[in-house]
Amino acid sequence: MINFRVNGEQRSVDVDPSMPLLWVLRDVLDLTGSKFGCGIAQCGACTVHIDAQPVRACVMPISAVAGKDVLTIEGLSPDGEHPVQQAWKQHNVPQCGYCQSGQIMSAVALLSSNPSPSDEEIDNYMQGNICRCGTYTRIRAAIKDASAHYSLAKNVGDEA
Ligand code: FES
Ligand code: FES
């Protein structure tokens, strides 16, 4: 048995320790928001957070996740109203949508570490998330909008 938390819930899975986290999320735990794209850590469609750091779940053996906290797109917000998701809706970012949960999880990680990224910092951070529909301009605009919320939260925190 391998024990870890997913979206705040304790989970136990009885699987081959080498099984990638993405397989466990999708096929064992039925959390299908994280997508399979390339399977070799080249596209970002499977991006989730482990202990608040973005990782490619397609190449992360479940044995390495034991005792850790996993956050997937399903756990970002109970109602899809996380500030990054709101900005995504406002800018109509998705086209086919396939890459977008990975894009959002990377954007959340970026803004958590850098609440006011420049265009260049956004492009550099997000370059590992491929969008075959070419929604990059809208992704950048949405991150810029969401950054206002993060900057505000940081300022309020600084003043507290
Ligand atoms: S499916 Fe994991 S990076 Fe492409
Ligand atoms: S929206 Fe289609 S791959 Fe990104």
Side-chain angles (χ1 to χ4, degrees), residues 22 35-47 56-59 128:
L22 183 62
K35 303 302 184 198
F36 174 83
C38 64
I40 52 171
Q42 295 295 307
C43 76
C46 64
T47 304
R56 305 303 193 226
C58 66
V59 292

Side-chain angles (χ1 to χ4, degrees), residues 129-160:
N129 285 84
I130 307 300
C131 176
R132 64 188 170 186
C133 302
T135 62
Y136 301 111
T137 307
R138 296 200 295 276
I139 286 172
R140 191 204 286 158
I143 291 174
K144 282 282 194 190
D145 261 17
S147 78
H149 171 90
Y150 277 77
S151 301
L152 186 65
K154 181 174 183 298
N155 290 338
V156 168
D158 287 349
E159 285 165 15

Side-chain angles (χ1 to χ4, degrees), residues 93-100 103 130-135:
V93 173
Q95 193 159 319
C96 81
Y98 199 82
C99 71
Q100 296 293 331
Q103 302 281 2
I130 307 300
C131 176
R132 64 188 170 186
C133 302
T135 62

Side-chain angles (χ1 to χ4, degrees), residues 80-143:
E81 293 298 320
H82 184 282
V84 173
Q85 291 172 310
Q86 285 182 356
W88 244 245
K89 283 187 254 186
Q90 194 181 337
H91 287 269
N92 287 321
V93 173
Q95 193 159 319
C96 81
Y98 199 82
C99 71
Q100 296 293 331
S101 71
Q103 302 281 2
I104 288 172
M105 296 309 286
S106 287
V108 170
L110 164 63
L111 291 168
S112 298
S113 61
N114 179 0
S116 304
S118 65
D119 285 358
E120 189 182 4
E121 286 171 329
I122 292 172
D123 292 346
N124 285 340
Y125 195 93
M126 299 295 293
Q127 65 181 351
N129 285 84
I130 307 300
C131 176
R132 64 188 170 186
C133 302
T135 62
Y136 301 111
T137 307
R138 296 200 295 276
I139 286 172
R140 191 204 286 158
I143 291 174

